Amino acid sequence: MLVDIHAHLNSDELKDKIDEILSQCNIKIINAGVDLDSDLETLELARIYKDIVYPAIGFHPEYIEKAEKEIDKILPLIDKAIAISEVGLDYYWIKDEKLRKKEIEVLSTFLEIGEKRRKPVILHIRGGMSDFLQLISSYKLTFIIHAFEGSIKIARKILDLGGYLSFPPIIVRDKLRRQIAKEVPLDKLFTETDSPFLGPEKGKINEPCNVSITLSELSIIKGLGKEEIEKQIEKNFYRVFMQ
């Protein structure tokens, strides 16, 4: 069973061919909401594609300027999801210091809920890693960094804090991600696609079944059978998200 813990099936690039996409492989997908509208779409996708697509509810830090209008409407939806996502910190696109502080406030709200309701949190951290590491140490919850793009040193810190790391198919053309993946224990590792982004070929639309490409690369990196890695990631999925 393939596992994609982070996808956006309701994106413009994919939403009109979901049936076709899901027919191509045996897979379980966590679809991540990024704002109120996409959170609602994610819940509907999970209803339509029950036991294949699972909902993650969140608010992407890139949309921080509309947080005041949406957060209070998003939070009640979390009880309907198996995870909180896509939440986090984005200092790559968000440069304004006041907005960055607001990102931290919003993320803190989601982390508090994740801790109280025992919901795993899948995180987008692009820049702001030092702020995130300082923040996450205050909470007792299960967290996964999706599409991790930091250093090996930071990866080790995340693992020491009990976190998980997730790798998309872009790993086939990213030397640093391959080096990091080599160090991540199998029981702390996930596959994802971030579809329609982060595909194996630059400029091409990514799809969930491409996690198979990630698995092939991980097999080479770790010197293990592809099937062994696939089975362990499936175990990780049930342990983290289905308890």
Side-chain angles (χ1 to χ4, degrees), residues 151-173:
S151 66
I152 291 178
K153 182 179 179 181
I154 295 298
R156 288 171 180 157
K157 286 185 178 180
I158 289 165
L159 293 171
D160 287 344
L161 288 167
Y164 293 73
L165 297 175
S166 179
F167 294 90
I170 197 175
I171 192 173
V172 301
R173 51 189 177 95

mmCIF file with all atom_site columns, all heavy atoms in Angstrom, residues 151-173:
data_model
loop_
_atom_site.group_PDB
_atom_site.id
_atom_site.type_symbol
_atom_site.label_atom_id
_atom_site.label_alt_id
_atom_site.label_comp_id
_atom_site.label_asym_id
_atom_site.label_entity_id
_atom_site.label_seq_id
_atom_site.pdbx_PDB_ins_code
_atom_site.Cartn_x
_atom_site.Cartn_y
_atom_site.Cartn_z
_atom_site.occupancy
_atom_site.B_iso_or_equiv
_atom_site.pdbx_formal_charge
_atom_site.auth_seq_id
_atom_site.auth_comp_id
_atom_site.auth_asym_id
_atom_site.auth_atom_id
_atom_site.pdbx_PDB_model_num
ATOM 1   N N   . SER A 1 151 ? 18.799 21.552 6.963   1.00 0.00 ? 151 SER A N   1
ATOM 2   C CA  . SER A 1 151 ? 20.105 20.889 7.023   1.00 0.00 ? 151 SER A CA  1
ATOM 3   C C   . SER A 1 151 ? 20.020 19.552 7.752   1.00 0.00 ? 151 SER A C   1
ATOM 4   O O   . SER A 1 151 ? 19.014 19.244 8.420   1.00 0.00 ? 151 SER A O   1
ATOM 5   C CB  . SER A 1 151 ? 21.095 21.786 7.769   1.00 0.00 ? 151 SER A CB  1
ATOM 6   O OG  . SER A 1 151 ? 20.707 21.909 9.130   1.00 0.00 ? 151 SER A OG  1
ATOM 7   N N   . ILE A 1 152 ? 21.085 18.785 7.650   1.00 0.00 ? 152 ILE A N   1
ATOM 8   C CA  . ILE A 1 152 ? 21.160 17.521 8.388   1.00 0.00 ? 152 ILE A CA  1
ATOM 9   C C   . ILE A 1 152 ? 21.130 17.792 9.887   1.00 0.00 ? 152 ILE A C   1
ATOM 10  O O   . ILE A 1 152 ? 20.492 17.061 10.651  1.00 0.00 ? 152 ILE A O   1
ATOM 11  C CB  . ILE A 1 152 ? 22.425 16.742 7.973   1.00 0.00 ? 152 ILE A CB  1
ATOM 12  C CG1 . ILE A 1 152 ? 22.286 16.237 6.536   1.00 0.00 ? 152 ILE A CG1 1
ATOM 13  C CG2 . ILE A 1 152 ? 22.669 15.573 8.931   1.00 0.00 ? 152 ILE A CG2 1
ATOM 14  C CD1 . ILE A 1 152 ? 23.499 15.507 6.006   1.00 0.00 ? 152 ILE A CD1 1
ATOM 15  N N   . LYS A 1 153 ? 21.807 18.848 10.318  1.00 0.00 ? 153 LYS A N   1
ATOM 16  C CA  . LYS A 1 153 ? 21.823 19.212 11.737  1.00 0.00 ? 153 LYS A CA  1
ATOM 17  C C   . LYS A 1 153 ? 20.416 19.481 12.258  1.00 0.00 ? 153 LYS A C   1
ATOM 18  O O   . LYS A 1 153 ? 20.034 18.998 13.334  1.00 0.00 ? 153 LYS A O   1
ATOM 19  C CB  . LYS A 1 153 ? 22.705 20.447 11.942  1.00 0.00 ? 153 LYS A CB  1
ATOM 20  C CG  . LYS A 1 153 ? 22.830 20.879 13.389  1.00 0.00 ? 153 LYS A CG  1
ATOM 21  C CD  . LYS A 1 153 ? 23.748 22.101 13.511  1.00 0.00 ? 153 LYS A CD  1
ATOM 22  C CE  . LYS A 1 153 ? 23.864 22.563 14.959  1.00 0.00 ? 153 LYS A CE  1
ATOM 23  N NZ  . LYS A 1 153 ? 24.738 23.766 15.076  1.00 0.00 ? 153 LYS A NZ  1
ATOM 24  N N   . ILE A 1 154 ? 19.632 20.227 11.490  1.00 0.00 ? 154 ILE A N   1
ATOM 25  C CA  . ILE A 1 154 ? 18.251 20.530 11.891  1.00 0.00 ? 154 ILE A CA  1
ATOM 26  C C   . ILE A 1 154 ? 17.402 19.266 11.850  1.00 0.00 ? 154 ILE A C   1
ATOM 27  O O   . ILE A 1 154 ? 16.549 19.042 12.724  1.00 0.00 ? 154 ILE A O   1
ATOM 28  C CB  . ILE A 1 154 ? 17.641 21.618 10.995  1.00 0.00 ? 154 ILE A CB  1
ATOM 29  C CG1 . ILE A 1 154 ? 18.386 22.947 11.178  1.00 0.00 ? 154 ILE A CG1 1
ATOM 30  C CG2 . ILE A 1 154 ? 16.158 21.804 11.309  1.00 0.00 ? 154 ILE A CG2 1
ATOM 31  C CD1 . ILE A 1 154 ? 18.317 23.530 12.561  1.00 0.00 ? 154 ILE A CD1 1
ATOM 32  N N   . ALA A 1 155 ? 17.626 18.432 10.850  1.00 0.00 ? 155 ALA A N   1
ATOM 33  C CA  . ALA A 1 155 ? 16.887 17.168 10.760  1.00 0.00 ? 155 ALA A CA  1
ATOM 34  C C   . ALA A 1 155 ? 17.105 16.328 12.018  1.00 0.00 ? 155 ALA A C   1
ATOM 35  O O   . ALA A 1 155 ? 16.164 15.746 12.568  1.00 0.00 ? 155 ALA A O   1
ATOM 36  C CB  . ALA A 1 155 ? 17.320 16.398 9.522   1.00 0.00 ? 155 ALA A CB  1
ATOM 37  N N   . ARG A 1 156 ? 18.335 16.302 12.497  1.00 0.00 ? 156 ARG A N   1
ATOM 38  C CA  . ARG A 1 156 ? 18.637 15.544 13.713  1.00 0.00 ? 156 ARG A CA  1
ATOM 39  C C   . ARG A 1 156 ? 17.920 16.127 14.921  1.00 0.00 ? 156 ARG A C   1
ATOM 40  O O   . ARG A 1 156 ? 17.436 15.387 15.792  1.00 0.00 ? 156 ARG A O   1
ATOM 41  C CB  . ARG A 1 156 ? 20.143 15.515 13.947  1.00 0.00 ? 156 ARG A CB  1
ATOM 42  C CG  . ARG A 1 156 ? 20.903 14.625 12.959  1.00 0.00 ? 156 ARG A CG  1
ATOM 43  C CD  . ARG A 1 156 ? 22.394 14.801 13.087  1.00 0.00 ? 156 ARG A CD  1
ATOM 44  N NE  . ARG A 1 156 ? 23.135 13.949 12.153  1.00 0.00 ? 156 ARG A NE  1
ATOM 45  C CZ  . ARG A 1 156 ? 24.364 14.209 11.741  1.00 0.00 ? 156 ARG A CZ  1
ATOM 46  N NH1 . ARG A 1 156 ? 25.006 15.287 12.194  1.00 0.00 ? 156 ARG A NH1 1
ATOM 47  N NH2 . ARG A 1 156 ? 24.968 13.404 10.886  1.00 0.00 ? 156 ARG A NH2 1
ATOM 48  N N   . LYS A 1 157 ? 17.826 17.450 14.990  1.00 0.00 ? 157 LYS A N   1
ATOM 49  C CA  . LYS A 1 157 ? 17.103 18.093 16.084  1.00 0.00 ? 157 LYS A CA  1
ATOM 50  C C   . LYS A 1 157 ? 15.632 17.708 16.069  1.00 0.00 ? 157 LYS A C   1
ATOM 51  O O   . LYS A 1 157 ? 15.035 17.439 17.110  1.00 0.00 ? 157 LYS A O   1
ATOM 52  C CB  . LYS A 1 157 ? 17.254 19.615 16.000  1.00 0.00 ? 157 LYS A CB  1
ATOM 53  C CG  . LYS A 1 157 ? 18.616 20.137 16.406  1.00 0.00 ? 157 LYS A CG  1
ATOM 54  C CD  . LYS A 1 157 ? 18.639 21.657 16.413  1.00 0.00 ? 157 LYS A CD  1
ATOM 55  C CE  . LYS A 1 157 ? 20.001 22.184 16.858  1.00 0.00 ? 157 LYS A CE  1
ATOM 56  N NZ  . LYS A 1 157 ? 20.035 23.674 16.869  1.00 0.00 ? 157 LYS A NZ  1
ATOM 57  N N   . ILE A 1 158 ? 15.052 17.690 14.887  1.00 0.00 ? 158 ILE A N   1
ATOM 58  C CA  . ILE A 1 158 ? 13.639 17.319 14.767  1.00 0.00 ? 158 ILE A CA  1
ATOM 59  C C   . ILE A 1 158 ? 13.428 15.884 15.222  1.00 0.00 ? 158 ILE A C   1
ATOM 60  O O   . ILE A 1 158 ? 12.481 15.574 15.956  1.00 0.00 ? 158 ILE A O   1
ATOM 61  C CB  . ILE A 1 158 ? 13.164 17.524 13.318  1.00 0.00 ? 158 ILE A CB  1
ATOM 62  C CG1 . ILE A 1 158 ? 13.082 19.023 13.017  1.00 0.00 ? 158 ILE A CG1 1
ATOM 63  C CG2 . ILE A 1 158 ? 11.803 16.865 13.087  1.00 0.00 ? 158 ILE A CG2 1
ATOM 64  C CD1 . ILE A 1 158 ? 12.983 19.349 11.560  1.00 0.00 ? 158 ILE A CD1 1
ATOM 65  N N   . LEU A 1 159 ? 14.312 14.998 14.804  1.00 0.00 ? 159 LEU A N   1
ATOM 66  C CA  . LEU A 1 159 ? 14.208 13.600 15.223  1.00 0.00 ? 159 LEU A CA  1
ATOM 67  C C   . LEU A 1 159 ? 14.391 13.466 16.732  1.00 0.00 ? 159 LEU A C   1
ATOM 68  O O   . LEU A 1 159 ? 13.689 12.688 17.381  1.00 0.00 ? 159 LEU A O   1
ATOM 69  C CB  . LEU A 1 159 ? 15.247 12.759 14.478  1.00 0.00 ? 159 LEU A CB  1
ATOM 70  C CG  . LEU A 1 159 ? 15.036 12.616 12.961  1.00 0.00 ? 159 LEU A CG  1
ATOM 71  C CD1 . LEU A 1 159 ? 16.238 11.958 12.327  1.00 0.00 ? 159 LEU A CD1 1
ATOM 72  C CD2 . LEU A 1 159 ? 13.763 11.846 12.650  1.00 0.00 ? 159 LEU A CD2 1
ATOM 73  N N   . ASP A 1 160 ? 15.315 14.238 17.296  1.00 0.00 ? 160 ASP A N   1
ATOM 74  C CA  . ASP A 1 160 ? 15.542 14.205 18.743  1.00 0.00 ? 160 ASP A CA  1
ATOM 75  C C   . ASP A 1 160 ? 14.301 14.667 19.514  1.00 0.00 ? 160 ASP A C   1
ATOM 76  O O   . ASP A 1 160 ? 14.056 14.214 20.647  1.00 0.00 ? 160 ASP A O   1
ATOM 77  C CB  . ASP A 1 160 ? 16.730 15.095 19.120  1.00 0.00 ? 160 ASP A CB  1
ATOM 78  C CG  . ASP A 1 160 ? 18.072 14.497 18.717  1.00 0.00 ? 160 ASP A CG  1
ATOM 79  O OD1 . ASP A 1 160 ? 18.114 13.284 18.428  1.00 0.00 ? 160 ASP A OD1 1
ATOM 80  O OD2 . ASP A 1 160 ? 19.065 15.243 18.682  1.00 0.00 ? 160 ASP A OD2 1
ATOM 81  N N   . LEU A 1 161 ? 13.528 15.564 18.905  1.00 0.00 ? 161 LEU A N   1
ATOM 82  C CA  . LEU A 1 161 ? 12.288 16.050 19.529  1.00 0.00 ? 161 LEU A CA  1
ATOM 83  C C   . LEU A 1 161 ? 11.117 15.090 19.314  1.00 0.00 ? 161 LEU A C   1
ATOM 84  O O   . LEU A 1 161 ? 10.006 15.351 19.769  1.00 0.00 ? 161 LEU A O   1
ATOM 85  C CB  . LEU A 1 161 ? 11.925 17.428 18.962  1.00 0.00 ? 161 LEU A CB  1
ATOM 86  C CG  . LEU A 1 161 ? 12.814 18.599 19.418  1.00 0.00 ? 161 LEU A CG  1
ATOM 87  C CD1 . LEU A 1 161 ? 12.547 19.824 18.554  1.00 0.00 ? 161 LEU A CD1 1
ATOM 88  C CD2 . LEU A 1 161 ? 12.540 18.923 20.891  1.00 0.00 ? 161 LEU A CD2 1
ATOM 89  N N   . GLY A 1 162 ? 11.381 13.988 18.633  1.00 0.00 ? 162 GLY A N   1
ATOM 90  C CA  . GLY A 1 162 ? 10.335 12.993 18.395  1.00 0.00 ? 162 GLY A CA  1
ATOM 91  C C   . GLY A 1 162 ? 9.571  13.197 17.106  1.00 0.00 ? 162 GLY A C   1
ATOM 92  O O   . GLY A 1 162 ? 8.574  12.517 16.856  1.00 0.00 ? 162 GLY A O   1
ATOM 93  N N   . GLY A 1 163 ? 10.028 14.145 16.276  1.00 0.00 ? 163 GLY A N   1
ATOM 94  C CA  . GLY A 1 163 ? 9.329  14.438 15.033  1.00 0.00 ? 163 GLY A CA  1
ATOM 95  C C   . GLY A 1 163 ? 9.619  13.434 13.927  1.00 0.00 ? 163 GLY A C   1
ATOM 96  O O   . GLY A 1 163 ? 10.549 12.611 14.017  1.00 0.00 ? 163 GLY A O   1
ATOM 97  N N   . TYR A 1 164 ? 8.815  13.534 12.882  1.00 0.00 ? 164 TYR A N   1
ATOM 98  C CA  . TYR A 1 164 ? 8.959  12.713 11.679  1.00 0.00 ? 164 TYR A CA  1
ATOM 99  C C   . TYR A 1 164 ? 9.333  13.624 10.508  1.00 0.00 ? 164 TYR A C   1
ATOM 100 O O   . TYR A 1 164 ? 9.013  14.818 10.513  1.00 0.00 ? 164 TYR A O   1
ATOM 101 C CB  . TYR A 1 164 ? 7.644  12.006 11.335  1.00 0.00 ? 164 TYR A CB  1
ATOM 102 C CG  . TYR A 1 164 ? 7.193  10.960 12.309  1.00 0.00 ? 164 TYR A CG  1
ATOM 103 C CD1 . TYR A 1 164 ? 6.675  11.307 13.555  1.00 0.00 ? 164 TYR A CD1 1
ATOM 104 C CD2 . TYR A 1 164 ? 7.248  9.606  11.982  1.00 0.00 ? 164 TYR A CD2 1
ATOM 105 C CE1 . TYR A 1 164 ? 6.238  10.340 14.450  1.00 0.00 ? 164 TYR A CE1 1
ATOM 106 C CE2 . TYR A 1 164 ? 6.809  8.630  12.865  1.00 0.00 ? 164 TYR A CE2 1
ATOM 107 C CZ  . TYR A 1 164 ? 6.304  9.002  14.102  1.00 0.00 ? 164 TYR A CZ  1
ATOM 108 O OH  . TYR A 1 164 ? 5.862  8.041  14.988  1.00 0.00 ? 164 TYR A OH  1
ATOM 109 N N   . LEU A 1 165 ? 9.952  13.044 9.482   1.00 0.00 ? 165 LEU A N   1
ATOM 110 C CA  . LEU A 1 165 ? 10.262 13.777 8.267   1.00 0.00 ? 165 LEU A CA  1
ATOM 111 C C   . LEU A 1 165 ? 9.629  13.075 7.073   1.00 0.00 ? 165 LEU A C   1
ATOM 112 O O   . LEU A 1 165 ? 9.616  11.838 6.997   1.00 0.00 ? 165 LEU A O   1
ATOM 113 C CB  . LEU A 1 165 ? 11.774 13.880 8.068   1.00 0.00 ? 165 LEU A CB  1
ATOM 114 C CG  . LEU A 1 165 ? 12.544 14.663 9.140   1.00 0.00 ? 165 LEU A CG  1
ATOM 115 C CD1 . LEU A 1 165 ? 14.040 14.587 8.875   1.00 0.00 ? 165 LEU A CD1 1
ATOM 116 C CD2 . LEU A 1 165 ? 12.096 16.110 9.177   1.00 0.00 ? 165 LEU A CD2 1
ATOM 117 N N   . SER A 1 166 ? 9.133  13.878 6.157   1.00 0.00 ? 166 SER A N   1
ATOM 118 C CA  . SER A 1 166 ? 8.441  13.351 4.988   1.00 0.00 ? 166 SER A CA  1
ATOM 119 C C   . SER A 1 166 ? 9.142  13.810 3.716   1.00 0.00 ? 166 SER A C   1
ATOM 120 O O   . SER A 1 166 ? 9.572  14.965 3.616   1.00 0.00 ? 166 SER A O   1
ATOM 121 C CB  . SER A 1 166 ? 6.985  13.840 4.997   1.00 0.00 ? 166 SER A CB  1
ATOM 122 O OG  . SER A 1 166 ? 6.300  13.370 3.867   1.00 0.00 ? 166 SER A OG  1
ATOM 123 N N   . PHE A 1 167 ? 9.218  12.895 2.750   1.00 0.00 ? 167 PHE A N   1
ATOM 124 C CA  . PHE A 1 167 ? 9.988  13.171 1.532   1.00 0.00 ? 167 PHE A CA  1
ATOM 125 C C   . PHE A 1 167 ? 9.116  13.033 0.282   1.00 0.00 ? 167 PHE A C   1
ATOM 126 O O   . PHE A 1 167 ? 8.471  12.012 0.067   1.00 0.00 ? 167 PHE A O   1
ATOM 127 C CB  . PHE A 1 167 ? 11.169 12.209 1.442   1.00 0.00 ? 167 PHE A CB  1
ATOM 128 C CG  . PHE A 1 167 ? 12.177 12.416 2.540   1.00 0.00 ? 167 PHE A CG  1
ATOM 129 C CD1 . PHE A 1 167 ? 12.058 11.725 3.742   1.00 0.00 ? 167 PHE A CD1 1
ATOM 130 C CD2 . PHE A 1 167 ? 13.207 13.319 2.390   1.00 0.00 ? 167 PHE A CD2 1
ATOM 131 C CE1 . PHE A 1 167 ? 12.973 11.923 4.768   1.00 0.00 ? 167 PHE A CE1 1
ATOM 132 C CE2 . PHE A 1 167 ? 14.128 13.531 3.409   1.00 0.00 ? 167 PHE A CE2 1
ATOM 133 C CZ  . PHE A 1 167 ? 14.012 12.831 4.602   1.00 0.00 ? 167 PHE A CZ  1
ATOM 134 N N   . PRO A 1 168 ? 9.132  14.059 -0.575  1.00 0.00 ? 168 PRO A N   1
ATOM 135 C CA  . PRO A 1 168 ? 8.391  14.024 -1.838  1.00 0.00 ? 168 PRO A CA  1
ATOM 136 C C   . PRO A 1 168 ? 9.273  13.524 -2.988  1.00 0.00 ? 168 PRO A C   1
ATOM 137 O O   . PRO A 1 168 ? 10.497 13.373 -2.824  1.00 0.00 ? 168 PRO A O   1
ATOM 138 C CB  . PRO A 1 168 ? 8.022  15.503 -2.042  1.00 0.00 ? 168 PRO A CB  1
ATOM 139 C CG  . PRO A 1 168 ? 9.145  16.250 -1.386  1.00 0.00 ? 168 PRO A CG  1
ATOM 140 C CD  . PRO A 1 168 ? 9.681  15.386 -0.278  1.00 0.00 ? 168 PRO A CD  1
ATOM 141 N N   . PRO A 1 169 ? 8.693  13.298 -4.162  1.00 0.00 ? 169 PRO A N   1
ATOM 142 C CA  . PRO A 1 169 ? 9.462  12.765 -5.293  1.00 0.00 ? 169 PRO A CA  1
ATOM 143 C C   . PRO A 1 169 ? 10.584 13.675 -5.794  1.00 0.00 ? 169 PRO A C   1
ATOM 144 O O   . PRO A 1 169 ? 11.472 13.201 -6.507  1.00 0.00 ? 169 PRO A O   1
ATOM 145 C CB  . PRO A 1 169 ? 8.397  12.580 -6.384  1.00 0.00 ? 169 PRO A CB  1
ATOM 146 C CG  . PRO A 1 169 ? 7.115  12.413 -5.640  1.00 0.00 ? 169 PRO A CG  1
ATOM 147 C CD  . PRO A 1 169 ? 7.246  13.304 -4.449  1.00 0.00 ? 169 PRO A CD  1
ATOM 148 N N   . ILE A 1 170 ? 10.573 14.933 -5.427  1.00 0.00 ? 170 ILE A N   1
ATOM 149 C CA  . ILE A 1 170 ? 11.672 15.823 -5.802  1.00 0.00 ? 170 ILE A CA  1
ATOM 150 C C   . ILE A 1 170 ? 13.008 15.320 -5.253  1.00 0.00 ? 170 ILE A C   1
ATOM 151 O O   . ILE A 1 170 ? 14.080 15.762 -5.690  1.00 0.00 ? 170 ILE A O   1
ATOM 152 C CB  . ILE A 1 170 ? 11.389 17.273 -5.317  1.00 0.00 ? 170 ILE A CB  1
ATOM 153 C CG1 . ILE A 1 170 ? 12.289 18.282 -6.054  1.00 0.00 ? 170 ILE A CG1 1
ATOM 154 C CG2 . ILE A 1 170 ? 11.557 17.389 -3.813  1.00 0.00 ? 170 ILE A CG2 1
ATOM 155 C CD1 . ILE A 1 170 ? 11.989 19.733 -5.712  1.00 0.00 ? 170 ILE A CD1 1
ATOM 156 N N   . ILE A 1 171 ? 12.956 14.370 -4.344  1.00 0.00 ? 171 ILE A N   1
ATOM 157 C CA  . ILE A 1 171 ? 14.179 13.805 -3.765  1.00 0.00 ? 171 ILE A CA  1
ATOM 158 C C   . ILE A 1 171 ? 15.110 13.248 -4.843  1.00 0.00 ? 171 ILE A C   1
ATOM 159 O O   . ILE A 1 171 ? 16.326 13.233 -4.671  1.00 0.00 ? 171 ILE A O   1
ATOM 160 C CB  . ILE A 1 171 ? 13.833 12.701 -2.729  1.00 0.00 ? 171 ILE A CB  1
ATOM 161 C CG1 . ILE A 1 171 ? 15.072 12.329 -1.908  1.00 0.00 ? 171 ILE A CG1 1
ATOM 162 C CG2 . ILE A 1 171 ? 13.221 11.482 -3.395  1.00 0.00 ? 171 ILE A CG2 1
ATOM 163 C CD1 . ILE A 1 171 ? 14.766 11.374 -0.764  1.00 0.00 ? 171 ILE A CD1 1
ATOM 164 N N   . VAL A 1 172 ? 14.555 12.827 -5.974  1.00 0.00 ? 172 VAL A N   1
ATOM 165 C CA  . VAL A 1 172 ? 15.399 12.250 -7.035  1.00 0.00 ? 172 VAL A CA  1
ATOM 166 C C   . VAL A 1 172 ? 16.315 13.296 -7.661  1.00 0.00 ? 172 VAL A C   1
ATOM 167 O O   . VAL A 1 172 ? 17.310 12.934 -8.314  1.00 0.00 ? 172 VAL A O   1
ATOM 168 C CB  . VAL A 1 172 ? 14.557 11.571 -8.142  1.00 0.00 ? 172 VAL A CB  1
ATOM 169 C CG1 . VAL A 1 172 ? 13.699 10.471 -7.559  1.00 0.00 ? 172 VAL A CG1 1
ATOM 170 C CG2 . VAL A 1 172 ? 13.711 12.593 -8.900  1.00 0.00 ? 172 VAL A CG2 1
ATOM 171 N N   . ARG A 1 173 ? 15.995 14.570 -7.477  1.00 0.00 ? 173 ARG A N   1
ATOM 172 C CA  . ARG A 1 173 ? 16.844 15.641 -8.024  1.00 0.00 ? 173 ARG A CA  1
ATOM 173 C C   . ARG A 1 173 ? 17.285 16.630 -6.937  1.00 0.00 ? 173 ARG A C   1
ATOM 174 O O   . ARG A 1 173 ? 17.503 17.800 -7.195  1.00 0.00 ? 173 ARG A O   1
ATOM 175 C CB  . ARG A 1 173 ? 16.131 16.380 -9.165  1.00 0.00 ? 173 ARG A CB  1
ATOM 176 C CG  . ARG A 1 173 ? 14.724 16.882 -8.858  1.00 0.00 ? 173 ARG A CG  1
ATOM 177 C CD  . ARG A 1 173 ? 14.036 17.394 -10.126 1.00 0.00 ? 173 ARG A CD  1
ATOM 178 N NE  . ARG A 1 173 ? 12.662 17.808 -9.894  1.00 0.00 ? 173 ARG A NE  1
ATOM 179 C CZ  . ARG A 1 173 ? 12.288 19.062 -9.646  1.00 0.00 ? 173 ARG A CZ  1
ATOM 180 N NH1 . ARG A 1 173 ? 13.205 20.028 -9.596  1.00 0.00 ? 173 ARG A NH1 1
ATOM 181 N NH2 . ARG A 1 173 ? 11.027 19.372 -9.454  1.00 0.00 ? 173 ARG A NH2 1
#
